[in-house]
């Protein structure tokens, strides 16, 4: 307790000492002269005047300032004006902004004062701090133009430097309307010029921007219009309702489009224009106008793919002036309203005339097309077989560019449907003459001559009735020819030719057709084609003179051996063919199965019974003596056919009287005919041995 009492006394004594020092200090002289404006106040003169500013025992310096500067105190209390915006800490220290004792010439309102209040400087004071938005002409005005005493060094009594002004335009400007207007000037006029009108609060009904921003007020608010005139604005009592867009503007849109978008925005139809036409737009054709896909749908044209990609200007050309031309009210399937005909009007006539692009193309894209085989039936050619698998581009070409047409359209309408228009003649005109003759007596097939024999499946696939080989080639396929495959004569090629043909041509494999020998080797070696042989027999030529198509062994009309070989088969020669033409086990290189005869001479087949007696330069064939039978010598005339005339003496003799049978060296019995002597002494009075010895000598 003693310790606490000691501390209390020490505290009391310290406070008393400090107070005494302060009192003594207050009695001292002022720290410096005060400013002129305060020096002119009588109450602030002398030592007694200090307490008027610095306060006494029971007041503060701030309270002393507010006592003299009551309007400032009022601003602070009402939180208006510059001082009303200051914080409590700043308000409690007036001297921080308005210091004193710096001499009579010191200005207690200076740049530091303004900076402490949040402003840059006195000359750059932002009037927004006091709730006055100043721009336009007001920015060109000097401070003294509005604040009369702004530059006064010392204010006179009962005057203010900046206070006392009102923001009402009428406090500075005369009213040219003479009180007819019910609203403040700022409701219509800006600070730049009286002519540049605007309307505060007008945005509640219609923002005065864009196309409405440059209009005169009288354009919409005429004086004669009692309900919406300028004069009626601001009047008390019921006001006329805000006008809808359609009150001033005629809508070019269809009723369905207006109703649809009004419902979409939950607005009245008359006000729904703002859904697309914003107040900022200067024109109904504003380039920045945005229409959503949902809004566009109300026109009857959905912006589905691919119409979700183009820009508005791609379909609605800005250079088109008339609304009806720029927005013609297209339907979703009216492709021709926007898209140029890439086919050059080819489908303006014919089975597709009057139809839209969707007849052949999908709504979402032009490619791939939707032109089916069923639809192609409406054209001049029904697609069957290979045609159904063929690409459209294979038949429908794009013509080459010309000076008149840089990009000609692909040819569809008018494309020839004849086979010859697309397919090269693989027969190189072989059937032209035959076909031309057929068409003389029968109508031409719908799609050309190829249709006579071929189907659309493949060229190798012939019609059910087959190929009339005789009709088209003048070569009937019968007999053995009918048993073989087509490839026997038409040997397939390893690679297709320019026409795509692999079915071989007879001429390519066998050479130019000249008859049977074109394919078959002549086993007779041309022996029946000589000038002495008949070229035709009963209209039949070549091998057909003797053979038919069944087999070369078949001789349906027989074989005139004498006519063809100059060797008549008479007498003993009337035997089987194999008697002279021995059959072979295997056919030879030319297909022959019968051997050739030994020859046309008797000696070619028969052994010479005369042991070569008649060989030599003057030898004669057997036929000179033997005509129809080997045993018949009646055809031999001794006087004609020998060198020894019989005469009367020898004519009646038997042959063997002179021509004896002998055994030759090989052991065969041979009748001696030559050589024999022709002199009498050679036969008469001589022995046989002598004759033999003579033979040896004449050997």
């Amino acid at each position: 307790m003693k310790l606490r009492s000691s501390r209390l006394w020490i505290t009391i004594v310290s406070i008393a000492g400090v107070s005494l020092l302060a009192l003594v200090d207050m009695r001292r002289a002022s720290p410096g002269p005060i400013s002129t404006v305060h020096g002119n106040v009588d109450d602030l003169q002398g030592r007694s005047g200090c307490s008027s500013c610095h306060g006494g025992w029971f007041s503060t310096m701030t309270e002393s300032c507010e006592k003299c500067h009551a309007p400032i105190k009022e601003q602070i209390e009402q939180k208006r004006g510059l001082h009303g915006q200051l914080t409590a800490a700043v308000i409690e220290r007036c001297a921080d902004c308005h210091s004193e004792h710096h001499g009579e010439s010191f200005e207690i309102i200076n740049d530091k004062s303004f900076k402490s209040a949040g402003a840059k400087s006195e000359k750059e004071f932002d009037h927004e701090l006091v709730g006055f938005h100043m721009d336009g002409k007001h920015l060109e005005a000097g401070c003294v133009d509005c604040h009369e005493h702004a530059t006064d060094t010392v204010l006179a009594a009962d005057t203010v430097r900046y206070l006392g002004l009102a923001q009402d335009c009428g406090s500075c400007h005369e009213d040219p309307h003479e009180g007819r207007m019910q609203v403040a000037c700022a409701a219509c006029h800006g600070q730049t010029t009286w002519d540049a009108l605007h309307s505060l609060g007008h945005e509640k009904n219609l923002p005065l921007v864009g196309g409405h921003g440059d209009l005169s007020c009288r354009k919409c608010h005429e004086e004669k219009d009692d309900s919406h005139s300028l004069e009626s604005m601001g009047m008390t009592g019921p006001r006329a309702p805000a006008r809808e867009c359609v009150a001033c503007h005629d809508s070019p849109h269809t009723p369905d489009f207006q109703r649809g978008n009004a419902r979409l925005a939950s607005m009245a139809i008359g006000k729904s224009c703002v859904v697309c036409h914003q107040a900022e737009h200067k024109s109904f054709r504003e380039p920045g106008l945005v229409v959503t896909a949902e809004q566009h749908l109300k026109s009857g044209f959905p912006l589905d793919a691919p119409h979700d990609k183009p820009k508005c200007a791609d379909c609605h050309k800005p250079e088109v002036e008339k609304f009806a031309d720029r927005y013609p009210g297209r339907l979703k399937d009216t492709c021709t309203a926007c898209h140029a005909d890439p086919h050059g009007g080819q489908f303006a006539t014919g089975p597709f005339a009057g139809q839209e692009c969707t007849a052949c193309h999908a709504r979402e894209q032009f490619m791939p097309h939707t032109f089916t085989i069923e639809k192609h039936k409406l054209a001049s050619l029904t697609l069957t077989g290979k045609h159904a698998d063929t690409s459209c581009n294979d038949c429908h070409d794009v013509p080459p560019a010309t000076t008149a047409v840089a990009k000609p359209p692909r040819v569809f309408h008018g494309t020839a449907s004849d086979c010859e228009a697309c397919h090269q003649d693989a027969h190189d005109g072989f059937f032209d003459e035959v076909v031309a003759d057929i068409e003389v007596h029968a109508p031409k097939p719908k799609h050309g001559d190829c249709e006579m024999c071929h189907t659309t499946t493949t060229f190798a696939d012939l019609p059910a009735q087959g190929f009339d080989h005789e009709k088209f080639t003048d070569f009937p396929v019968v007999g053995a020819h009918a048993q073989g495959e087509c490839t026997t004569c038409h040997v397939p090629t390893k690679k297709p030719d320019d026409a795509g043909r692999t079915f071989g041509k007879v001429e390519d494999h066998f050479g130019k057709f000249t008859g049977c020998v074109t394919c078959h080797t002549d086993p007779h070696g041309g022996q029946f084609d000589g000038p002495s042989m008949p070229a035709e027999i009963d209209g039949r030529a070549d091998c057909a003179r003797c053979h038919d198509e069944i087999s070369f062994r078949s001789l349906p009309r027989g074989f005139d051996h004498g006519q063809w070989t100059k060797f008549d088969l008479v007498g003993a020669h009337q035997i089987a063919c194999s008697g002279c033409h021995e059959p072979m086990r295997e056919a030879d290189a030319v297909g022959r199965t019968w051997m050739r005869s030994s020859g046309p001479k008797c000696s070619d087949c028969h052994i010479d019974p005369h042991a070569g007696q008649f060989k030599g330069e003057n030898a004669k064939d057997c036929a000179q003596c033997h005509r129809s039978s080997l045993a018949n010598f009646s055809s031999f005339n001794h006087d004609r056919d020998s060198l020894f005339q019989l005469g009367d003496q020898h004519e009646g003799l038997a042959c063997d009287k002179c021509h004896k049978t002998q055994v030759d060296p090989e052991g065969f019995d041979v009748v001696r005919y030559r050589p024999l002597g022709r002199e009498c002494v050679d036969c008469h009075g001589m022995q046989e041995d002598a004759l033999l010895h003579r033979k040896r000598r004449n050997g």
Side-chain angles (χ1 to χ4, degrees):
M1 289 295 292
K2 292 181 179 181
L3 178 61
R4 291 184 178 179
S5 300
S6 300
R7 290 179 177 176
L8 179 61
W9 281 108
I10 293 172
T11 302
I12 295 173
V13 171
S14 298
I15 294 174
V18 172
S19 299
L20 180 61
L21 291 174
L23 180 61
V24 172
D25 185 65
M26 290 176 62
R27 295 297 181 180
R28 293 173 59 189
S30 171
I34 61 177
S35 61
T36 302
V37 65
H38 283 150
N40 292 336
V41 179
D42 294 337
D43 293 343
L44 302 181
Q45 300 298 324
R47 291 182 178 274
S48 61
C50 295
S51 60
S52 297
C53 287
H54 293 279
W57 289 99
F58 303 104
S59 65
T60 64
M61 182 182 292
T62 300
E63 292 175 343
S64 297
C65 293
E66 290 177 346
K67 183 177 180 181
C68 293
H69 301 283
I72 300 300
K73 179 182 180 182
E74 184 180 352
Q75 276 192 339
I76 293 173
E77 291 175 347
Q78 296 179 359
K79 296 186 179 301
R80 60 182 180 83
L82 180 61
H83 291 85
Q85 311 301 320
L86 302 178
T87 63
V90 175
I91 292 174
E92 290 298 325
R93 300 179 61 85
C94 301
D96 288 349
C97 297
H98 309 288
S99 60
E100 263 292 359
H101 300 292
H102 299 297
E104 296 179 354
S105 62
F106 181 74
E107 296 181 2
I108 61 176
I109 298 177
N110 50 51
D111 287 343
K112 180 184 177 184
S113 305
F114 282 93
K115 287 181 180 180
S116 298
K120 292 182 180 180
S121 66
E122 183 178 10
K123 293 182 179 180
E124 297 179 286
F125 180 74
D126 185 359
H127 284 70
E128 292 284 357
L129 293 173
V130 294
F132 182 70
H133 174 72
M134 190 170 71
D135 60 13
K137 289 293 185 179
H138 288 141
L139 296 178
E140 300 176 8
C143 298
V144 294
D145 292 335
C146 296
H147 304 284
E148 181 180 359
H149 303 293
T151 59
D152 289 355
T153 303
V154 178
L155 291 176
D158 298 328
T159 61
V160 292
R161 191 180 301 275
Y162 297 112
L163 300 180
L165 295 183
Q167 295 185 19
D168 180 14
C169 302
S171 65
C172 297
H173 304 280
E174 293 183 2
D175 179 12
H177 304 295
E178 299 177 350
R180 294 195 305 274
M181 300 302 173
Q182 304 298 316
V183 295
C185 302
C188 299
H189 300 281
Q191 299 181 36
T192 302
T193 174
W194 291 111
D195 296 332
L197 302 178
H198 72 280
S199 177
L200 293 176
H202 203 287
E203 65 276 2
K204 295 179 181 179
N205 297 316
L206 178 66
L208 295 180
V209 294
H212 295 112
D214 297 333
L215 296 178
S216 166
C217 298
R218 288 297 186 189
K219 184 71 176 178
C220 299
H221 301 283
E222 298 180 271
E223 189 172 2
K224 62 182 179 180
D225 184 358
D226 295 336
S227 59
H228 294 94
S229 66
L230 291 176
E231 287 75 11
S232 65
M233 297 294 101
M235 292 182 64
T236 59
R239 295 182 58 185
R243 286 173 289 188
E244 297 178 343
C245 304
V246 294
C248 299
H249 304 284
D250 293 329
S251 175
H253 300 293
T254 63
D256 289 341
F257 182 79
Q258 295 181 68
R259 281 192 296 269
N261 277 290
R263 291 173 182 172
L264 191 65
S266 300
M267 298 176 65
I269 294 179
K271 297 180 179 180
S272 62
C273 302
V274 296
V275 172
C276 300
H277 304 284
Q278 302 298 319
E280 293 79 5
H281 296 171
K282 293 184 178 181
S283 168
F284 285 111
R285 300 180 60 171
E286 184 73 22
L289 185 147
V290 176
V291 177
T292 66
E294 193 175 11
Q295 293 168 348
H296 202 281
L297 178 62
K298 304 306 178 181
S299 69
F301 193 102
L303 293 180
D304 301 328
H307 297 115
D308 57 337
K309 303 299 182 185
K311 297 179 180 178
C312 299
D314 293 337
C315 298
H316 306 288
K317 300 299 180 183
E319 64 271 14
V320 178
E321 292 296 331
K322 292 184 178 180
F323 181 89
D325 295 335
R326 190 180 182 192
Y327 304 96
R330 309 174 180 103
L331 298 178
K332 61 182 180 180
D333 289 334
T334 312
C335 308
T336 52
C338 294
H339 300 282
D341 182 7
H343 306 303
Q346 296 179 70
F347 298 106
T349 59
F352 298 98
Q355 298 190 39
E356 276 293 338
C357 303
T358 49
C360 304
H361 300 277
R363 182 178 294 108
E364 297 79 12
Q365 65 218 9
F366 285 114
M367 296 298 293
H369 61 75
T370 61
F371 192 77
T372 62
I373 293 177
E374 287 298 317
K375 292 179 180 179
H376 208 285
K377 290 181 179 179
L378 299 175
S380 59
L381 178 65
T382 299
L383 297 182
T384 59
K386 284 293 184 181
H387 290 153
D389 300 329
T390 302
S391 170
C392 304
N393 298 343
D394 292 341
C395 297
H396 302 286
D397 300 325
V398 176
T402 63
T403 54
V405 183
K407 293 183 178 180
R410 188 179 297 278
V411 177
F412 289 101
H413 189 74
T415 300
S417 62
D418 290 347
C419 309
E420 297 89 337
C422 296
H423 301 285
Q424 180 180 341
D425 182 8
H427 307 294
D428 296 330
F430 180 83
F431 298 116
D432 289 350
E433 185 176 347
V434 177
V435 168
D437 183 62
I438 293 175
E439 291 176 356
V440 171
H441 307 287
K444 182 177 181 179
K446 181 179 180 181
H447 299 295
D449 300 331
C450 302
E451 198 174 17
M452 292 183 180
C453 303
H454 298 284
T455 65
T456 59
T457 304
T458 174
F459 282 109
D461 186 12
L462 299 177
Q465 67 272 20
F467 176 68
D468 193 336
H469 207 280
E470 180 179 10
K471 177 180 179 180
F472 288 97
T473 69
D474 200 26
F475 186 91
V477 178
V478 295
H481 290 146
Q483 302 303 316
E485 297 291 336
C486 300
T487 54
T488 302
C489 295
H490 301 277
V491 181
T493 59
K494 293 182 179 180
K495 294 182 179 180
D497 60 12
D498 294 340
R501 172 180 174 138
T502 57
F503 189 67
K505 297 178 182 178
V506 173
E507 184 173 330
D508 292 342
H509 188 72
F510 297 100
K512 187 175 182 180
F513 184 79
T514 56
C516 302
V517 293
T518 303
C519 301
H520 303 283
T521 303
D522 181 7
H524 307 299
Q527 71 181 87
F528 300 126
D529 295 323
S532 62
M533 298 296 171
E536 289 188 3
I537 295 179
D538 297 334
R540 303 186 307 276
D542 205 6
C543 301
R545 291 173 294 175
C546 299
H547 301 280
D548 60 13
E549 294 85 353
I550 297 175
S551 171
F552 281 112
R553 295 185 180 185
S554 176
L555 301 172
R557 290 169 289 276
F559 181 71
D560 191 338
H561 206 279
Q563 180 182 18
W564 294 106
T565 67
K566 307 304 178 185
F567 190 91
D568 292 320
L569 297 180
V570 295
H573 288 127
Q574 297 182 10
I575 59 176
C577 299
S578 58
C580 296
H581 301 280
E582 183 179 353
M584 295 186 291
R585 290 182 179 275
E586 295 181 1
D588 62 10
V590 295
R592 185 184 179 107
T593 59
W594 294 87
M595 295 183 65
R596 294 180 181 276
S597 65
S598 300
K601 296 179 181 180
C602 300
S603 57
D604 292 333
C605 297
H606 302 284
I607 298 175
D608 183 5
H610 305 300
Q613 297 176 65
F614 297 104
K615 291 182 179 179
E617 183 179 351
N618 296 321
K620 296 181 179 180
D621 188 51
C622 302
Q624 293 294 325
C625 302
H626 306 286
R627 295 298 182 186
S628 59
S629 173
L630 294 177
N632 186 0
F633 286 91
S634 60
S635 62
F636 180 77
N637 189 317
H638 209 287
D639 293 338
R640 182 192 63 199
D641 298 325
S642 71
L643 298 177
F644 184 80
Q645 294 184 356
L646 295 177
D648 293 338
Q649 296 86 355
H650 298 99
E651 187 175 357
L653 293 175
C655 296
D656 58 0
K657 289 296 184 178
C658 296
H659 301 283
K660 305 296 184 180
T661 300
Q662 299 177 349
V663 179
D664 66 3
E666 296 181 2
F668 291 100
D669 293 335
V670 177
V671 178
R672 170 66 68 179
Y673 291 103
R674 57 185 300 188
L676 292 177
R678 290 176 290 176
E679 300 294 334
C680 296
V681 295
D682 292 332
C683 295
H684 297 285
M686 297 181 64
Q687 297 180 357
E688 186 176 353
D689 290 341
L691 178 61
L692 292 174
H693 290 308
R694 186 177 180 183
K695 171 188 174 187
R696 293 189 184 99
R697 289 197 303 271
N698 294 335

